[in-house]
Amino acid sequence: MEHVFSKEQTCESLTLKILGSGCCVPSLSRSSPANLIKFNGKTYLLDIGPGTLKQLNKAKEDYKKIDAIILSHRHPDHSADLIPLIQAFCYNPEFKREKDLLIIGAKLTQEFIESLLELYGFNVKEFKIIFKEPDEMLVIDSRTVFKFIKGSHSSSSIITKMEFACKNGIKKSIVYTGDTGYDEEISEFAEDCDLLITECSFPFKQKGHLSPEEAAELAQKAKARKLLLTHFYPQCDNYELQLKDRVKEYYFNKILFAQDFMEVII
């Protein structure tokens, strides 16, 4: 597992683990999108694409401890393991989940998930699923706040900013675009963030996605301290050095290329 440590002062325990750095195209080296964030005793998932449960096991992370899931949008490569996760919560004879599960997604996400549960015949009784639509600000607890803007990739797309207050007084923020086209509003939203996670699906321009240059421009305009590129299609394989050179022409801070099981300590 690769660890990326910051030379700057860190938040006491704010970590990001990439569970899936790929896309909808099957790959032996990249699982579909999923990102695990741990802070202040809570565990969050940014997307939960197919294969996420297996990736959690391989990463030695406990699926039972997940507190909240944020869906960047409802396309299956970003959401397909959500129902299997709920099934695992309900039907593991050695585990009884009692704490609520928070699911954050765009309008109609609740209807979407509840319809799937009904079709599968799952009746969640042991715990509550709390659905929240992304508002301007969602207070998770006294040290964690989520903020959102609408994304352009699909009707259900949201872009998420997670703000964390550390015990030592330091504040950290992570912005996750999910799939997106170029939009300067993203730079405004992500201004001065510690980590900007953007998709970089192809080594060329594709409608509804970011090219390497566009991702770099957004990060530079945002003055992001680090840029993490992810959501790679197979066309990006074997082009990392070339992509990095292209990104470096527009963005001048730390550049990271996501790999499954990469861990970033913020």
Side-chain angles (χ1 to χ4, degrees):
M1 181 185 299
E2 180 176 346
H3 295 264
V4 181
F5 293 91
S6 171
K7 293 181 181 179
E8 304 166 0
Q9 195 171 8
T10 59
C11 216
E12 79 269 6
S13 184
L14 172 57
T15 61
L16 164 73
K17 190 173 289 186
I18 307 295
L19 299 175
S21 59
C23 60
C24 62
V25 179
S27 168
L28 291 175
S29 59
R30 296 186 187 277
S31 190
S32 293
N35 307 278
L36 186 79
I37 293 176
K38 299 168 79 172
F39 177 72
N40 193 28
K42 289 190 172 70
T43 302
Y44 310 99
L45 273 177
L46 290 169
D47 284 334
I48 181 168
T52 298
L53 295 188
K54 183 177 181 179
Q55 295 292 90
L56 283 164
N57 277 339
K58 291 176 72 174
K60 296 180 171 57
E61 297 289 349
D62 190 350
Y63 78 92
K64 298 187 293 293
K65 294 183 178 180
I66 293 170
D67 293 282
I69 300 164
I70 301 96
L71 296 179
S72 68
H73 59 299
R74 294 191 290 270
H75 286 170
D77 59 325
H78 293 256
S79 66
D81 251 16
L82 179 53
I83 299 301
L85 175 68
I86 294 172
Q87 182 183 20
F89 287 155
C90 294
Y91 296 100
N92 184 342
E94 298 179 351
F95 167 67
K96 181 180 179 182
R97 184 180 178 97
E98 296 180 344
K99 67 177 178 179
D100 296 343
L101 175 66
L102 174 63
I103 297 177
I104 302 169
K107 187 177 180 180
L108 300 180
T109 294
Q110 179 172 352
E111 291 86 343
F112 170 72
I113 294 170
E114 288 180 344
S115 295
L116 287 174
L117 291 171
E118 183 178 355
L119 287 168
Y120 280 115
F122 295 162
N123 187 10
V124 181
K125 295 180 178 179
E126 294 80 5
F127 61 96
K128 291 183 179 179
I129 300 177
I130 308 298
F131 293 96
K132 293 285 187 182
E133 292 185 13
D135 204 344
E136 183 176 330
M137 184 171 70
L138 179 60
V139 178
I140 302 300
D141 57 38
S142 61
R143 299 176 59 197
T144 306
V145 173
F146 295 167
K147 297 178 179 179
F148 309 92
I149 58 173
K150 191 175 186 325
S152 61
H153 180 74
S154 75
S155 61
S156 63
S157 291
I158 60 173
I159 296 170
T160 301
K161 177 188 286 183
M162 310 176 78
E163 297 182 340
F164 306 96
C166 307
K167 291 179 180 177
N168 56 9
I170 293 175
K171 294 184 178 180
K172 296 284 183 176
S173 61
I174 299 171
V175 175
Y176 176 59
T177 68
D179 292 4
T180 186
Y182 185 85
D183 184 347
E184 291 195 358
E185 186 180 1
I186 297 172
S187 293
E188 298 174 13
F189 183 64
E191 187 173 7
D192 293 325
C193 67
D194 294 279
L195 179 65
L196 175 59
I197 309 169
T198 73
E199 66 121 275
C200 184
S201 299
F202 300 95
F204 46 81
K205 179 57 186 171
Q206 183 80 3
K207 184 178 180 181
H209 294 285
L210 292 174
S211 68
E213 291 83 0
E214 288 175 330
E217 284 186 15
L218 288 175
Q220 186 63 28
K221 289 178 179 178
K223 295 177 285 187
R225 292 175 180 83
K226 293 183 182 66
L227 170 63
L228 173 63
L229 301 176
T230 190
H231 197 264
F232 296 116
Y233 274 71
Q235 286 85 349
C236 290
D237 291 346
N238 303 319
Y239 283 96
E240 181 172 318
L241 290 177
Q242 179 186 348
L243 292 178
K244 181 171 285 190
D245 287 340
R246 289 165 59 184
V247 172
K248 286 168 66 176
E249 291 184 21
Y250 297 87
Y251 176 71
F252 310 121
N253 287 337
K254 179 73 174 178
I255 303 165
L256 305 172
F257 283 80
Q259 300 172 357
D260 288 13
F261 307 115
M262 173 189 284
E263 185 173 352
V264 182
I265 299 177
I266 313 299

